[in-house]
Amino acid sequence: MRIAVFSTKSYDQEYFEKYNKEYNYSFSYYETALNPDTAKLSTDCDVVCVFVNDIVDENTIKILSKNGIKLIALRCAGYNNVDLDAAAKENIKVVRVPAYSPEAVAEHALALILTLNRKTHKAYNRVREGNFSLKNLIGFNLSNKTIGVIGTGKIGETFCKILNGFGCKIIAYDIAENENVTALGVEYMSLEKVFEQADVLSLHCPLNKHTKHLVNKASIETMKDGVMIINTSRGALIKTEDAIEGLKNKKIGYLGIDVYEQEENLFFEDLSEIIIEDDMILRLLSFPNVLITSHQAYFTKEAMDQITITTLENITAFDQNKALKNEVKQ
Ligand code: NAD
């Protein structure tokens, strides 16, 4: 099997090389993202391996099909960037890594909450410059605060377990209730009630046509004054311009995001010497109560091990004509 790996960073290659010793596949690594312009690089390959910001739309898929690609192997859980109908039409299978480390993402959501709240990032810089003042560093106790969780699947459940340890009241909304979450004492309620009651709102549902712009002008208006919103799921769950408005009129007290609606042109790259044309991210960066990380919630050693092993296992199952347990269908 020849595999074209798109959006490759040095760490992706390092992990594939580490585990490929047991599989012996032939990899072609491309730093560029997969899109209709770069799909031609898949010539002579059987599989393309892609990540969160590769554009696997109908145009891309048609070119992949012409090149003889039979499998799209996502090395991530979310698959909102793949046109599943187009893949099915071209008889290309799609596989993903449904669960690699819910702890990695849930723990990062907690890191965003604690950093925004206790302002450790500001304290670190202050103290390094000999400024030992506490002015404006005041936070709040998480204990007894109401945490609203949208989406209580693998990551949401792990997040609930962690926040339980802080003595929080946890309320949740999901289209399907998870009994492990109910067993933790989490109370399910309507989406509207979660928006109304949460001091901290954390998003853990997938991006799809039902969840796009879940956080928007209308829903923000129903939230508590000074609400903290955390998004480690997918950028477009939040309508960015409405969040900016909510920050400007002080309805939103804190915003912590690991994902951003237009992240594909920014995240994972060093743009420090480039003029950034995206005015919305620059506006977001100008707020003292906004914390942005560039899609790193998944990025732990344990998660990278699991992503790599599952991806190689997915490819092997396809290669050996076995059932694809991690197949994504429409
Ligand atoms: P999961 O499938 O285990 O759980 C998703 C949950 O969302 C399910 O319980 C599902 O019923 C619920 N859901 C679906 N539609 C909903 C809706 N309309 N409203 C409310 N809930 C809804 O997935 P997971 O492993 O917990 O991952 C959740 C998301 O986290 C993924 O879809 C992905 O986008 C994101 N993610 C981000 C990173 C990162 O590095 N930032 C890493 C992994 C996953």
Side-chain angles (χ1 to χ4, degrees):
M1 298 283 272
R2 284 188 58 87
I3 303 149
V5 185
F6 286 86
S7 299
T8 311
K9 299 290 178 209
S10 56
Y11 40 82
D12 297 310
Q13 187 164 347
E14 181 193 318
Y15 276 82
F16 274 125
E17 293 304 315
K18 176 176 162 192
Y19 285 103
N20 191 39
K21 290 186 186 104
E22 294 159 39
Y23 295 85
N24 235 350
Y25 290 126
S26 167
F27 285 100
S28 300
Y29 296 104
Y30 298 108
E31 278 182 34
T32 181
L34 177 62
N35 59 45
D37 294 329
T38 59
K40 57 180 174 284
L41 294 169
S42 65
T43 315
D44 298 332
C45 289
D46 310 287
V47 179
V48 288
C49 179
V50 298
F51 197 47
V52 292
N53 291 329
D54 290 287
I55 300 171
V56 199
D57 60 7
E58 191 179 3
N59 288 340
T60 303
I61 286 171
K62 279 186 178 157
I63 301 165
L64 294 181
S65 176
K66 273 194 199 128
N67 284 352
I69 294 296
K70 293 281 178 289
L71 181 72
I72 296 167
L74 288 150
R75 52 182 193 278
C76 53
Y79 49 86
N80 50 287
N81 53 336
V82 181
D83 185 333
L84 295 175
D85 289 332
K89 254 188 231 154
E90 300 294 338
N91 203 21
I92 296 178
K93 302 273 187 216
V94 181
V95 286
R96 66 173 179 138
V97 184
Y100 44 89
S101 177
E103 293 81 9
V105 182
E107 289 173 14
H108 192 77
L110 176 71
L112 292 177
I113 294 172
L114 289 177
T115 308
L116 272 171
N117 174 14
R118 305 307 300 267
K119 304 177 177 72
T120 42
H121 55 321
K122 295 185 185 188
Y124 172 81
N125 284 323
R126 271 192 198 184
V127 170
R128 279 168 68 93
E129 292 187 1
N131 176 356
F132 298 94
S133 145
L134 299 185
K135 199 168 176 222
N136 294 325
L137 292 186
I138 194 155
F140 59 83
N141 286 4
L142 266 180
S143 175
N144 289 320
K145 291 294 178 299
T146 301
I147 313 295
V149 183
I150 313 284
T152 52
K154 291 175 286 295
I155 295 170
E157 177 184 330
T158 309
F159 179 77
C160 289
K161 279 184 193 146
I162 295 172
L163 270 293
N164 238 4
F166 279 78
C168 299
K169 175 182 179 193
I170 309 176
I171 57 174
Y173 169 73
D174 195 307
I175 51 169
E177 295 188 9
N178 174 345
E179 58 186 30
N180 297 337
V181 169
T182 315
L184 291 170
V186 174
E187 194 184 339
Y188 279 100
M189 50 183 71
S190 68
L191 182 61
E192 290 72 23
K193 284 204 170 138
V194 174
F195 282 149
E196 277 167 26
Q197 294 181 23
D199 297 300
V200 176
L201 186 71
S202 197
L203 307 178
H204 299 290
C205 59
L207 173 64
N208 57 38
K209 62 178 183 213
H210 305 292
T211 58
K212 186 173 181 195
H213 292 169
L214 195 76
V215 173
N216 57 39
K217 189 173 190 296
S219 58
I220 291 168
E221 270 167 16
T222 67
M223 293 178 196
K224 278 191 174 173
D225 290 344
V227 63
M228 178 187 285
I229 301 175
I230 301 294
N231 187 8
T232 54
S233 197
R234 283 292 179 269
L237 294 179
I238 298 180
K239 191 168 182 199
T240 312
E241 58 205 89
D242 292 358
I244 290 173
E245 204 44 51
L247 286 157
K248 279 166 76 177
N249 65 32
K250 303 188 180 63
K251 183 76 183 172
I252 299 176
Y254 311 80
L255 177 69
I257 54 174
D258 184 55
V259 286
Y260 167 63
E261 224 178 336
Q262 289 82 24
E263 71 177 48
E264 64 272 14
N265 300 323
L266 300 167
F267 283 13
F268 307 122
E269 304 302 329
D270 177 0
L271 305 179
S272 52
E273 295 301 322
I274 286 173
I275 306 296
I276 293 175
E277 291 180 11
D278 182 332
D279 288 344
M280 278 208 278
I281 192 113
L282 296 174
R283 185 66 181 105
L284 282 176
L285 288 170
S286 75
F287 292 103
N289 50 351
V290 171
L291 181 62
I292 303 177
T293 52
S294 57
H295 212 134
Q296 73 174 78
Y298 78 99
F299 199 47
T300 65
K301 291 172 185 168
E302 293 81 358
M304 287 299 285
D305 282 333
Q306 206 47 53
I307 288 171
T308 313
I309 292 167
T310 306
T311 301
L312 288 163
E313 284 298 313
N314 284 342
I315 293 168
T316 302
F318 178 80
D319 188 26
Q320 297 178 352
N321 257 327
K322 290 189 178 151
L324 298 178
K325 66 175 182 184
N326 295 323
E327 183 172 4
V328 190
K329 293 182 178 166
Q330 305 108 298

